[in-house]
Amino acid sequence: MEYIEKLGKSAKIAQNQLASLTTEQKDNVLSLIAEKLLQNAELIKLENAKDIEIARTNGKTEAYIDRLMLTDERISGMAEGVLQVKSLADPVGEVIGGGKIPGGMNIIKKRVPLGVIGIIFESRPNVTVDAAVLCLKSGNVCILRGGSDSINSNKCLADIMRSALEECGVTKDAVSLVEDTSREVASKMMKLKEYIDVLIPRGGEGLKRVVIENSTIPVIFAGGGLCHTYVDKSADLDMAVDIVDNAKTHRPSVCNAIETVLVHEVIADEFYAKLKMRWGDKVEIVFDEYDVEFLEYKISAKTVKNIDEAIQHISIYGTTHSECIITSCIKSATKFQNEVDAAAIYVNASTRFTDGFMFGLGAEIGITTQKLHARGPMGLKELTTYKYLINGDGHIRK
């Protein structure tokens, strides 16, 4: 049996134990993981330094190296993140439907883990911990496959979590790391449908495309965010400037930042003047490039004749992530929310709120623009499915 198949088989065997753990047992594991991360901070930094040295030798940019780097502050942040996941409500076992049906049988619809989740991600080693603890809390086994650039950091973090599992009497195979980072092994992992129930890519559009095109396992992915804000003719322009400014500049490199502002022609001149006064040279405004996710201090702008043209533009260029209308007209707000296709649709609020914590879901594994199984921020509940429990009394179908 090949290396990746052995990991898959071990994970499948671990699935039954993990799915049956109580909330207290899972929380005990998470507490110990957080404790061990802090206790082993020096070891983590030592292993991380090996990855940093290799990255510098290979001529990687400082921005790239910053994504790799684990400092005392970031390790403390990881530990705090683990404890935040611990504090969240356990979704497993929640009854979400059911009742007696004609004939007297009782049906219960109950939330259960997805099973074995494979997660393929890129350079950020903190994803190793973030993804694993979300899977653990939701009763899922995880197989983690990070990039070669963070392999020493990832191995160290995975070993710490596996040690915590073992000390708590839980199989360490609930969390496993693919230590062979070759493309060949990654490709085989994408086809390991006998053992892996769901595959989640965490990273850039290139990674997601490779996984979607090559996986024989169902894929849940965080979508790109080519988000828009439409400023309607009835908008409060000062409010509009505040919202557009926040949605673009609060964190321009994230998926819920806007990339295009659409402006009704009646108020276009006044709005653009106010926006340029706010930004000065901070943000470059262009009147084309509507299909680009800039992820920087740059935004495209378009003047439209009416709300229908704005909605049509969004249907052509949007990625169904987050869209916003700024208006004082209830009819326009309702039309926009009913007709625009997106996971999150805002009226008079910044798209920057599309986030697990902001939605009250706690930690998230990503924001998906898909329509099957999960849509929008993916928290613990989105890492579960459900099953029906049917109780009868000698019932037979006639």
Side-chain angles (χ1 to χ4, degrees):
M1 183 177 289
E2 294 188 9
Y3 166 70
I4 190 64
E5 289 180 296
K6 289 180 181 177
L7 283 184
K9 185 175 182 179
S10 297
K12 202 68 176 177
I13 293 170
Q15 179 186 341
N16 288 338
Q17 184 193 8
L18 203 69
S20 63
L21 292 181
T22 65
T23 301
E24 183 181 9
Q25 287 174 308
K26 289 186 283 190
D27 286 348
N28 286 341
V29 173
L30 296 179
S31 292
L32 190 55
I33 288 175
E35 186 180 320
K36 282 180 169 288
L37 286 171
L38 296 175
Q39 289 174 346
N40 290 277
E42 293 305 315
L43 175 61
I44 294 169
K45 288 189 294 181
L46 186 66
E47 293 301 312
N48 181 245
K50 296 177 183 177
D51 294 327
I52 298 298
E53 183 180 357
I54 294 170
R56 291 194 191 281
T57 301
N58 291 336
K60 298 295 185 181
T61 66
E62 286 303 313
Y64 186 95
I65 289 168
D66 181 65
R67 289 196 294 272
L68 276 179
M69 189 172 292
L70 293 176
T71 62
D72 285 324
E73 183 180 3
R74 290 178 180 182
I75 294 168
S76 294
M78 281 196 295
E80 178 59 31
V82 176
L83 295 178
Q84 287 174 350
V85 172
K86 175 193 169 185
S87 71
L88 298 173
D90 187 348
V92 178
E94 177 188 0
V95 175
I96 54 177
K100 278 199 173 182
I101 61 172
M105 284 195 301
N106 191 51
I107 295 180
I108 297 172
K109 186 179 181 182
K110 188 171 78 168
R111 206 176 285 282
V112 296
L114 287 171
V116 177
I117 300 178
I119 301 171
I120 299 179
F121 57 100
E122 295 177 324
S123 58
R124 294 181 187 267
N126 63 292
V127 175
T128 305
V129 175
D130 294 346
V133 298
L134 282 166
C135 288
L136 288 172
K137 181 75 178 197
S138 55
N140 293 291
V141 173
C142 64
I143 300 176
L144 306 166
R145 195 275 184 186
S148 58
D149 49 3
S150 56
I151 186 61
N152 294 293
S153 307
N154 292 341
K155 284 170 67 175
C156 183
L157 294 169
D159 287 345
I160 288 169
M161 291 188 289
R162 285 165 64 86
S163 171
L165 283 160
E166 214 164 20
E167 286 186 35
C168 290
V170 180
T171 172
K172 63 183 180 181
D173 291 329
V175 175
S176 57
L177 177 74
V178 181
E179 297 186 9
D180 184 335
T181 59
S182 66
R183 290 185 179 180
E184 180 186 6
V185 169
S187 179
K188 289 179 179 177
M189 180 179 174
M190 295 178 208
K191 295 175 171 56
L192 214 62
K193 60 183 179 181
E194 182 179 355
Y195 302 115
I196 298 176
D197 297 290
V198 175
L199 206 56
I200 300 176
R202 290 278 307 266
E205 294 303 309
L207 171 66
K208 285 181 276 191
R209 184 169 57 252
V210 167
V211 173
I212 293 165
E213 291 175 356
N214 292 280
S215 176
T216 60
I217 303 166
V219 176
I220 302 175
F221 62 91
L226 212 163
C227 307
H228 302 74
T229 291
Y230 166 57
V231 184
D232 194 30
K233 65 181 179 181
S234 66
D236 178 318
L237 297 190
D238 290 330
M239 176 198 289
V241 170
D242 287 342
I243 290 173
V244 170
D245 179 34
N246 180 263
K248 178 71 256 185
T249 70
H250 185 252
R251 280 191 68 192
S253 64
V254 294
C255 62
N256 57 21
I258 63 167
E259 304 295 2
T260 300
V261 59
L262 304 169
V263 187
H264 195 289
E265 63 181 9
V266 171
I267 48 89
D269 289 344
E270 187 179 357
F271 173 76
Y272 289 138
K274 284 178 176 285
L275 190 62
K276 289 175 182 176
M277 187 178 297
R278 170 69 63 88
W279 279 343
D281 295 329
K282 182 178 181 179
V283 180
E284 180 186 359
I285 304 174
V286 296
F287 291 86
D288 53 11
E289 299 183 69
Y290 300 123
D291 58 350
V292 179
E293 190 177 4
F294 299 114
L295 302 175
E296 58 177 323
Y297 290 105
K298 185 176 182 179
I299 192 170
S300 61
K302 182 180 182 181
T303 302
V304 295
K305 293 180 179 178
N306 50 43
I307 188 173
D308 290 306
E309 186 179 346
I311 292 172
Q312 182 182 26
H313 180 99
I314 291 169
S315 71
I316 294 170
Y317 295 103
T319 54
T320 69
H321 190 295
S322 300
E323 307 292 356
C324 168
I325 181 174
I326 305 171
T327 185
S328 60
C329 174
I330 294 175
K331 184 178 178 181
S332 294
T334 302
K335 177 182 177 68
F336 192 86
Q337 288 191 311
N338 286 342
E339 296 184 18
V340 169
D341 180 14
I345 305 172
Y346 295 82
V347 173
N348 298 333
S350 169
T351 58
R352 284 285 291 118
F353 286 100
T354 307
D355 174 272
F357 278 109
M358 292 290 99
F359 279 18
L361 305 175
E364 65 179 36
I365 204 157
I367 299 170
T368 174
T369 55
Q370 294 171 277
K371 296 184 180 181
L372 295 180
H373 177 69
R375 199 176 195 196
M378 289 180 59
L380 291 173
K381 286 186 177 181
E382 286 69 36
L383 293 178
T384 65
T385 182
Y386 54 82
K387 64 182 178 183
Y388 290 96
L389 309 178
I390 305 98
N391 296 296
D393 185 22
H395 288 75
I396 59 173
R397 184 168 178 175
K398 296 179 181 179

